[in-house]
Amino acid sequence: MIARRPRGLRQHLIVAGFLAPALILLGIFVVAPVVWALGLSVTDWRLTGPSALHPKIVGLANYGRLLASDDFRAAFFRTGVFVIFSAIIGQFVFGLASALALHRRDVRLKALWGAAILMPLVVPETVAAFAWSSMLESSDQGTVNRVIGLAGVAPVAWLQDNAMLSIIVVNIWRGIAFAMILFSAALEGVPQEVNEAATVDGASPRQLLTKITLPLIKPAIVLYMLLTTIGTVTVFGLIYFLTRGGPGGDTTTLAIFVYERAFKFFEIGLGSAASVIMLGFVLGIGLIYVRLLRAQV
Amino acid sequence: MAVRTGAAPAAVAVTPTHHRHHRSRALPLVYLFLAGLAIFCVVPFLWILLASVDPHAGVHLQIPASVDLSSYVRFLTDPMFSRYILNSMIMAGGSTVLVILTSALAGYALSRFTFRGRRVLMFGILMTRIVPVSATIAPLYLIVQYLKLVDTYQGMIVVLAAQQLPLAIWLMKGFFDTVPGELEEAAWVDGASRLVSAFRIVLPLAAPGVGAVALFAFIESWGDFLTPLILITSSDKTPISIGLFQAFSYRNQVDWGLLTAISVVYMVPTIILYLLVRRYLIKATVVGALQGAG
């Protein structure tokens, strides 16, 4: 064990001094905004107008307004749809399938497949969104429309008429690699002997997957579900670049809703109440995640 | 607690004597799946690459009738876009330096000393990683405004650095844990102080890890979109992420060749850096899951 207790004032000062710069930065720019969001959410603070100068405490009125607002409830619902279809289902299925495929011994060119799947994740999100603006272009020359045209389907104005479906597909595309990385690591930990023994005992491939492999990587699946939910609830740039929350609010998820309240409508109080609800959700999942990790280490 | 710096236990018993997979009939289907998925993943970039060298580039994927680098020349001679790239370099570079300095110090303290509340602190830091910027932008903006740092490089640098710190501290601590304490103790015997030994002995030995932390911090800051969207207002401090967004969204006439060339210039560094940090990817993805906090 390398770590030891600090001895004497000098060493205590070293520890404090070494930790201070990082903790100050985290405190001011990460922790304080969370605490302040809580405070702002009970005021009628706006960036403009009379309440910009003299904000009043309004208690839980913002939360009442939010929960009564159709816009907020719709944004909440859309976020759920976005998370469930793009992350919980889409990325999970494709990520697990690709991890299983790349785990096979008889598959060649693993580095090539892995690199291709990794590409969408590594580029900046604005480039990813920009690339999809061409893919989803609404004329019959748009790439996706040309592909569905091969099957005789008429061109679709993706970002106008099917905006939610579009951003779900784009987000699946971007996040497959994250699931693949996690599940590949988990599969490495499954002893090959287990699979062999099961196969010798006559297990079918399906049984092998559902009765052996999946239960063995269950911790990784739980971990993935927690992390991907956190990551997907908070997706902003990808959606904002492609649709800016539109058309007609069709892709306004919670992240977009919070941004618009504060920086488009300048309603800091109301926006902060939405922030707090979002934070409560994300940090609640985060606590489960940290508890799981603590149980493991 | 020893932490492996490689990517997971990747080389678990790959025995050549292993008998063939019994499901090899399924192999063509596996290849079909992988090929389909690979095409799905790569095709969007095909347009960017082809349009960037196509003098008649448009919004659609097309094979260029002729190929030249005129779009790249337009980018290099466009004072605005070269400024955007420079701004991104300053912001991402500055925050990376700040992240390395502060996370190295904190990581060293967490690695070499036990103290009351250390575990709670470690997991507290992990929780700060989960705080989404998209949920706290309004108070973040007000705090930065209070500090008079709105629309400044310094403001962007400190905010971006703070966002990268939780992961960086955890990774740093893990890398320092792998450097044996005996080496350092030998230096103390020779009269070196804590600080000197930390920077002369531990830092160089943990260099690959420190490099990985730097690259992750740079990649994240380089790609960031939301932070400059709220903190930067003047065009001479706009980073390329916002520049690309504005050129795409707010101009009547979109120059597809120019924007795709910029996209290539913008994404190539992250792709190269990702290749360098690939073996640390799992660690960074599941920070905490593969390394001890003890």
Side-chain angles (χ1 to χ4, degrees):
Chain A
M1 196 69 188
I2 314 164
R4 55 182 67 187
R5 298 202 145 274
R7 290 200 200 86
L9 182 65
R10 216 180 104 80
Q11 291 206 342
H12 277 98
L13 282 177
I14 289 182
V15 173
F18 276 29
L19 286 171
L23 295 186
I24 289 171
L25 275 176
L26 279 176
I28 295 177
F29 298 110
V30 181
V31 179
V34 174
V35 178
W36 207 354
L38 270 172
L40 288 171
S41 72
V42 296
T43 70
D44 64 348
W45 200 338
R46 304 174 65 99
L47 279 181
T48 57
S51 14
L53 295 173
H54 305 288
K56 288 192 301 287
I57 305 278
V58 294
L60 297 178
N62 285 326
Y63 292 95
R65 271 178 69 199
L66 265 187
L67 295 177
S69 129
D70 289 340
D71 285 350
F72 177 77
R73 285 201 302 238
F76 199 89
F77 175 74
R78 275 184 220 110
T79 310
V81 169
F82 184 62
V83 170
I84 289 170
F85 286 100
S86 75
I88 304 282
I89 297 177
Q91 295 172 5
F92 173 72
V93 169
F94 285 108
L96 182 61
S98 52
L100 286 169
L102 293 179
H103 190 59
R104 290 174 62 114
R105 281 154 200 267
D106 53 359
V107 166
R108 298 270 165 263
L109 304 172
K110 283 181 185 172
L112 181 74
W113 307 121
I117 296 168
L118 203 57
M119 272 292 285
L121 187 68
V122 307
V123 301
E125 65 181 342
T126 40
V127 173
F130 183 51
W132 275 93
S133 70
S134 162
M135 292 284 289
L136 296 169
E137 209 271 329
S138 57
S139 77
D140 58 354
Q141 294 297 302
T143 310
V144 174
N145 279 340
R146 261 193 266 178
V147 172
I148 63 169
L150 295 178
V153 181
V156 175
W158 293 102
L159 290 171
Q160 290 78 40
D161 299 339
N162 289 283
M164 181 50 90
L165 177 64
S166 301
I167 60 166
I168 285 172
V169 170
V170 175
N171 198 51
I172 291 174
W173 171 82
R174 186 155 165 88
I176 293 172
F178 175 69
M180 182 190 74
I181 291 167
L182 249 172
F183 294 136
S184 291
L187 287 172
E188 296 288 354
V190 176
Q192 201 62 41
E193 292 75 24
V194 175
N195 290 338
E196 282 159 25
T199 311
V200 170
D201 288 349
S204 71
R206 178 192 292 261
Q207 284 172 326
L208 195 65
L209 180 67
T210 57
K211 298 269 162 55
I212 312 270
T213 311
L214 288 184
L216 278 172
I217 63 167
K218 194 176 150 210
I221 295 176
V222 173
L223 192 70
Y224 167 77
M225 290 301 174
L226 296 174
L227 288 175
T228 198
T229 303
I230 294 169
T232 311
V233 166
T234 59
V235 166
F236 177 87
L238 211 57
I239 302 173
Y240 195 73
F241 192 106
L242 282 172
T243 67
R244 271 183 276 161
D250 281 356
T251 52
T252 300
T253 58
L254 276 180
I256 307 273
F257 182 88
V258 168
Y259 173 80
E260 287 197 328
R261 283 302 128 183
F263 294 98
K264 192 169 158 194
F265 305 118
F266 306 115
E267 293 182 293
I268 298 279
L270 194 69
S272 294
S275 293
V276 169
I277 292 175
M278 195 171 151
L279 278 170
F281 182 70
V282 167
L283 292 179
I285 295 173
L287 271 178
I288 303 174
Y289 164 61
V290 167
R291 281 181 76 102
L292 280 180
L293 290 186
R294 286 185 78 148
Q296 280 174 17
V297 293
Chain B
M1 171 162 246
V3 176
R4 211 168 297 151
T5 45
V12 184
V14 185
T15 43
T17 54
H18 198 270
H19 42 89
R20 292 190 69 81
H21 214 284
H22 79 290
R23 279 186 295 169
S24 41
R25 270 174 301 143
L27 191 59
L29 286 177
V30 172
Y31 277 124
L32 196 66
F33 167 75
L34 284 173
L37 193 60
I39 290 171
F40 173 59
C41 286
V42 170
V43 158
F45 299 110
L46 205 58
W47 168 67
I48 290 189
L49 288 177
L50 291 178
S52 75
V53 293
D54 185 349
H56 306 290
V59 65
H60 302 123
L61 178 61
Q62 62 189 18
I63 309 290
S66 62
V67 168
D68 69 18
L69 295 177
S70 59
S71 295
Y72 290 90
V73 174
R74 275 210 304 294
F75 158 65
L76 288 173
T77 51
D78 183 318
M80 236 170 45
F81 281 106
S82 32
R83 180 66 193 246
Y84 294 164
I85 287 275
L86 181 70
N87 288 338
S88 282
M89 282 179 181
I90 294 171
M91 289 166 184
S95 66
T96 301
V97 171
L98 189 56
V99 164
I100 290 299
L101 290 175
T102 52
S103 69
L105 288 172
Y108 181 84
L110 290 168
S111 168
R112 290 303 195 257
F113 293 102
T114 59
F115 47 86
R116 195 195 300 258
R118 186 178 69 148
R119 271 177 70 92
V120 174
L121 182 64
M122 292 277 313
F123 285 105
I125 291 170
L126 196 56
M127 280 299 280
T128 62
R129 191 189 179 203
I130 293 163
V131 174
V133 186
S134 47
T136 57
I137 42 172
L140 180 66
Y141 175 81
L142 293 174
I143 288 170
V144 174
Q145 190 186 42
Y146 179 77
L147 296 170
K148 304 217 176 347
L149 291 173
V150 170
D151 201 30
T152 63
Y153 290 128
Q154 304 93 296
M156 279 296 295
I157 287 171
V158 288
V159 171
L160 288 174
Q163 289 165 9
Q164 304 312 320
L165 264 177
L167 173 66
I169 293 171
W170 268 75
L171 289 177
M172 280 287 189
K173 187 225 171 239
F175 292 129
F176 288 151
D177 283 349
T178 65
V179 177
E182 292 80 23
L183 287 173
E184 239 184 311
E185 280 163 14
W188 302 338
V189 171
D190 294 341
S193 73
R194 259 283 171 190
L195 205 62
V196 172
S197 75
F199 282 90
R200 283 258 182 83
I201 296 177
V202 182
L203 211 52
L205 283 171
V210 175
V213 173
L215 296 183
F216 277 120
F218 187 89
I219 290 170
E220 289 295 316
S221 303
W222 180 255
D224 193 66
F225 172 74
L226 179 56
T227 313
L229 184 67
I230 58 163
L231 293 187
I232 295 297
T233 51
S234 62
S235 71
D236 64 334
K237 296 197 192 68
T238 297
I240 188 65
S241 54
I242 302 295
L244 188 62
F245 171 66
Q246 288 172 344
F248 171 73
S249 302
Y250 297 115
R251 285 197 199 164
N252 296 326
Q253 191 82 39
V254 176
D255 182 344
W256 298 106
L258 177 64
L259 290 198
T260 48
I262 288 165
S263 298
V264 172
V265 173
Y266 183 31
M267 72 180 178
V268 161
T270 62
I271 293 171
I272 293 171
L273 297 183
Y274 247 104
L275 291 177
L276 295 174
V277 287
R278 215 178 154 180
R279 67 197 195 96
Y280 299 105
L281 213 51
I282 293 168
K283 254 180 109 117
T285 308
V286 205
V287 58
L290 299 173
Q291 57 187 164

